[in-house]
Amino acid sequence: MAAIIQGIGAATALTSANSLNTKKSLFANSRRSLSEKKGRLFVVRSDGRLSCGLNGRGGRAEQLITNAVDAKEDAAAASTSSKPGHELLLFEALREGLEEEMDRDPTVCVMGEDVGHYGGSYKVTKGLAPKYGDLRVLDTPIAENSFTGMGIGAAMTGLRPVIEGMNMGFLLLAFNQISNNCGMLHYTSGGQFKIPVVIRGPGGVGRQLGAEHSQRLESYFQSIPGIQMVACSTPYNAKGLMKAAIRSDNPVILFEHVLLYNLKERIPDEEYVLNLEEAEMVRPGEHVTILTYSRMRYHVMQAAKTLVNKGYDPEVIDIRSLKPFDLYTIGKSVKKTHRVLIVEECMRTGGIGASLTAAITENFHDYLDAPIVCLSSQDVPTPYAGTLENWTVVQPPQIVTAVEQLCQ
């Protein structure tokens, strides 16, 4: 606790597819013919709920589900009961990763509102306070700027704090600490201090949570020097990214989507840690590269079923690392498909998609046969009404249309 208190003072002191019609002339000669399109079949969940379930196989495209949150290939349709490992929901995988790191390293601690005996707003820290005590699992007042600064100061003195924002939108109150201290102190101190802190919490468009609780802060934080950003999308990568973020000597912001917490997956029994700067190849393909992350991964995979049945062969990449981008994996795909579609839930203006478009254009422009298309959320406050809320977020039918236009 003394280290934490010392740290307080230390921290204190120190819709886009339509644009193709006008831009296609820039890419008149396509390098790759789409005449030979593979007819791979996907098994895709057919309900809009969060629980992970696989339906039977079918040879024809089904109606697209606007709330789709999961989709898997045929190979994943086999029963998981015979596979090694254990099944966890995404929030349980986050907890398991956090608990393993707290067992391994006594300097790892957790702080935030209701993270202690209540177990966190989404139960990610449930059961940790009785096991590790109130000093390592610290309940804080409703004062985001203060406890974020306390966590940054604790990191400066040798601890590895995991700071939970009850909702990512609330962390706007701590923006000064995150930008001026968390991201910059290693540089401004001449390397005297490291800031091994993890900032995590739920965000994204939920189900009628209103504008203030539907924030996507990736675009806010991406411009801060010294900050790494990752977004989890499955129980497997949630645990692996949590462990990697805690072990990193850099400040890491871990984005979790509120609608993915109850997603279930079988993960390995043995320990594993993922690379914070590596994208995931979700589905290999030949005709178009679709880059996405977080919840939109499942909207893309829902659309992929229809695209495959129409004869297209999309390559789907979950970029996972929002800063820095894994340009090796992305570039390798672009050089193969020569077409790029970006699908994000972030806002269109100044979002991750805009930065990704710029990075691809700067590094792989000569390999593109068509202009990059970016599908993003509309630049409006997220409505409370469910039907209007759906209209503001990219839906699978829009992805299908964009790919069809992109591959003409």
Side-chain angles (χ1 to χ4, degrees):
M1 189 63 183
I4 296 179
I5 298 303
Q6 291 175 3
I8 301 175
T12 302
L14 294 175
T15 326
S16 57
N18 292 335
S19 63
L20 283 172
N21 297 330
T22 58
K23 296 181 180 178
K24 283 256 178 163
S25 59
L26 297 175
F27 302 87
N29 297 321
S30 176
R31 303 184 185 185
R32 191 170 300 264
S33 172
L34 297 179
S35 59
E36 298 178 4
K37 298 175 181 176
K38 300 179 182 179
R40 295 175 60 183
L41 178 65
F42 273 64
V43 176
V44 188
R45 65 173 282 145
S46 61
D47 60 34
R49 297 175 300 172
L50 284 173
S51 58
C52 248
L54 295 176
N55 290 336
R57 298 166 68 176
R60 300 184 63 186
E62 297 177 358
Q63 183 178 2
L64 288 172
I65 308 300
T66 57
N67 289 337
V69 296
D70 193 17
K72 295 190 177 182
E73 297 190 42
D74 287 344
S79 172
T80 60
S81 60
S82 61
K83 295 181 179 180
H86 55 289
E87 282 192 341
L88 288 178
L89 301 175
L90 190 144
F91 78 89
E92 294 172 328
L94 288 166
R95 182 199 303 151
E96 185 171 274
L98 176 57
E99 188 171 5
E100 287 180 5
E101 291 305 300
M102 294 184 75
D103 286 338
R104 187 187 68 87
D105 185 351
T107 66
V108 178
C109 57
V110 181
M111 59 184 68
E113 300 156 357
D114 289 334
V115 299
H117 295 277
Y118 184 71
S121 56
Y122 289 90
K123 302 306 176 185
V124 173
T125 57
K126 182 179 179 181
L128 299 185
K131 181 176 180 179
Y132 299 105
D134 292 340
L135 291 183
R136 290 190 69 190
V137 185
L138 183 65
D139 273 323
T140 66
I142 304 175
E144 284 78 9
N145 189 61
S146 297
F147 70 71
T148 301
M150 180 173 66
I152 295 168
M156 295 170 64
T157 62
L159 298 182
R160 290 184 175 270
V162 178
I163 302 170
E164 176 179 311
M166 184 178 288
N167 182 280
M168 291 301 275
F170 301 160
L171 290 179
L172 290 175
L173 296 168
F175 194 85
N176 176 63
Q177 289 288 355
I178 296 172
S179 60
N180 284 326
N181 289 332
C182 187
M184 298 186 185
L185 277 176
H186 179 67
Y187 173 79
T188 56
S189 68
Q192 297 180 73
F193 295 107
K194 294 180 180 179
I195 316 295
V197 64
V198 179
I199 300 174
R200 51 154 297 270
V205 177
R207 288 198 173 95
Q208 296 183 263
L209 298 180
E212 298 90 344
H213 291 74
S214 300
Q215 294 276 29
R216 289 131 290 176
L217 300 187
E218 306 96 291
S219 59
Y220 290 67
F221 292 129
Q222 68 172 330
S223 62
I224 301 175
I227 295 283
Q228 282 189 270
M229 303 195 310
V230 291
C232 60
S233 55
T234 69
Y236 176 81
N237 66 39
K239 178 182 176 179
L241 291 174
M242 170 69 86
K243 292 172 70 68
I246 292 173
R247 296 186 187 190
S248 174
D249 285 335
N250 297 315
V252 179
I253 301 179
L254 173 59
F255 292 93
E256 305 156 13
H257 200 288
V258 66
L259 288 185
L260 299 183
Y261 276 131
N262 287 330
L263 197 67
K264 183 180 286 187
E265 184 181 29
R266 186 170 292 273
I267 67 174
D269 289 328
E270 62 273 10
E271 183 182 38
Y272 66 93
V273 180
L274 296 182
N275 189 331
L276 287 175
E277 301 179 10
E278 188 173 81
E280 176 187 352
M281 178 65 69
V282 180
R283 181 195 189 277
E286 297 289 337
H287 296 151
V288 59
T289 297
I290 304 181
L291 304 174
T292 189
Y293 65 93
S294 191
R295 178 196 176 196
M296 286 296 110
R297 165 177 175 155
Y298 300 102
H299 281 217
V300 168
M301 293 304 291
Q302 174 67 29
K305 177 186 177 182
T306 297
L307 289 169
V308 168
N309 288 335
K310 287 180 176 231
Y312 296 95
D313 188 18
E315 180 153 290
V316 180
I317 295 176
D318 183 343
I319 63 173
R320 288 198 313 208
S321 176
L322 308 184
K323 183 183 178 182
F325 296 130
D326 179 5
L327 291 180
Y328 173 81
T329 301
I330 294 170
K332 188 176 179 180
S333 179
V334 171
K335 292 174 183 178
K336 177 174 65 173
T337 67
H338 309 293
R339 293 171 175 81
V340 178
L341 171 64
I342 301 169
V343 182
E344 63 175 346
E345 194 177 87
C346 196
M347 298 298 186
R348 179 168 184 78
T349 302
I352 296 297
S355 297
L356 195 51
T357 299
I360 295 171
T361 301
E362 290 173 0
N363 291 278
F364 310 110
H365 179 268
D366 290 344
Y367 296 94
L368 294 171
D369 286 343
I372 300 170
V373 175
C374 182
L375 300 180
S376 312
S377 293
Q378 296 184 35
D379 287 332
V380 297
T382 304
Y384 173 77
T387 51
L388 295 177
E389 182 183 68
N390 283 336
W391 276 105
T392 67
V393 179
V394 179
Q395 300 295 344
Q398 296 170 265
I399 301 170
V400 173
T401 301
V403 169
E404 289 176 331
Q405 294 187 19
L406 191 57
C407 292
Q408 284 178 358

